[in-house]
Amino acid sequence: MKRLALIALLGMAACSKGGGAGGGAPAKLAGAFPISAAPAAPAAAPSARLAQIFTADMLGANLAYLETITGPAFKTEGDDRIYKLDGCTVVVGATRGKIDNLGIIDVSPRCSFNIAQYFAGGYDHPVPSFPTFGDIKQGLGGDYAADCLRLCGNAADPVVSLSYEGSHADNYNELVASASPDGGPMLDAYTDWGDQLVARYGEQAVVDNRYDDNLDAVASKDFGPIHPTTIRVGTSLITAPG
């Protein structure tokens, strides 16, 4: 009993020195490490294999060479081949086994590429790898267009695009950045642009795509802060009018 009483007294003394509940800092445990917040998860790094594909000299290369990196196409739609690569969707336009153009569907910080390498101009305002429409417009230029602004029907979602045609110094490379107005700011921008075109030219003219001025300043303001979802570079992307 005397031994039990002595242990109890020693325990009470230790509690009073350690502060107990609400009294000073708690005693440290031998061998314990201080608790720190778990490190934030690193941002997803761009795919290394995408960097192998998106080079200036891949345009005009043999499709067979590209497929040593990508593997076989996931899907073929006309002259376009779709590849799944490191969580990204790559689209390649090719004719007779030669690559005409390259692009990414569902562009993101991880699924992106160096646009500037395909164009000699625009270095005063370089286009970032994950650009907004405004970044492309400022860095390169280009024209806005929509395949439909009124009475579009249900066959497919309308598409808004910003297209740029490079000069001889750019090897006549083209760029087309596009997105569908499926909701949010993109739908708001699409609606405002269409409304202002209707106010200027009338409903039927917009339905028939019969207007001389596409109100580029309006489109640039509306779509400027929005990221396109698909970006393609190369040739055979822009259809000549008529």
Side-chain angles (χ1 to χ4, degrees):
M1 293 295 292
K2 288 182 178 180
R3 185 177 180 186
L4 290 174
L6 179 60
I7 292 172
L9 287 171
L10 289 172
M12 292 173 63
C15 288
S16 64
K17 287 182 180 180
K28 292 183 179 179
L29 298 175
F33 294 93
I35 298 173
S36 59
S47 163
R49 287 198 293 171
L50 283 185
Q52 290 182 270
I53 294 169
F54 286 91
T55 62
D57 58 0
M58 191 64 80
L59 295 176
N62 290 329
L63 185 66
Y65 173 73
L66 177 136
E67 291 188 341
T68 64
I69 302 169
T70 62
F74 171 74
K75 187 186 298 184
T76 300
E77 299 175 352
D79 290 335
D80 289 345
R81 289 160 174 80
I82 311 296
Y83 300 88
K84 300 288 188 179
L85 187 69
D86 297 344
C88 303
T89 303
V90 175
V91 55
V92 176
T95 53
R96 294 185 294 278
K98 300 286 186 182
I99 297 171
D100 296 323
N101 53 73
L102 301 159
I104 292 179
I105 300 170
D106 295 328
V107 179
S108 69
R110 173 173 169 74
C111 300
S112 58
F113 63 94
N114 176 10
I115 293 169
Q117 66 184 310
Y118 299 97
F119 301 98
Y123 292 126
D124 287 342
H125 301 284
V127 179
S129 295
F130 182 48
T132 63
F133 280 107
D135 291 328
I136 296 170
K137 183 74 171 177
Q138 182 183 39
L140 297 174
D143 300 305
Y144 284 100
D147 59 357
C148 176
L149 282 163
R150 284 292 191 273
L151 301 179
C152 299
N154 298 319
D157 290 333
V159 175
V160 174
S161 61
L162 176 62
S163 302
Y164 170 74
E165 297 184 69
S167 66
H168 175 69
D170 302 317
N171 294 318
Y172 299 109
N173 285 336
E174 303 161 351
L175 179 145
V176 176
S178 59
S180 290
D182 51 3
M186 183 64 191
L187 179 59
D188 293 340
Y190 170 81
T191 301
D192 182 67
W193 185 34
D195 287 348
Q196 295 204 45
L197 282 166
V198 167
R200 173 76 65 88
Y201 297 105
E203 184 86 16
Q204 194 58 48
V206 175
V207 169
D208 297 336
N209 285 320
R210 290 186 294 101
Y211 41 87
D212 299 328
D213 180 357
N214 72 346
L215 303 184
D216 186 78
V218 173
S220 296
K221 180 180 178 182
D222 285 341
F223 298 109
I226 298 170
H227 291 276
T229 54
T230 298
I231 300 176
R232 302 179 68 167
V233 295
T235 58
S236 303
L237 290 170
I238 301 173
T239 304

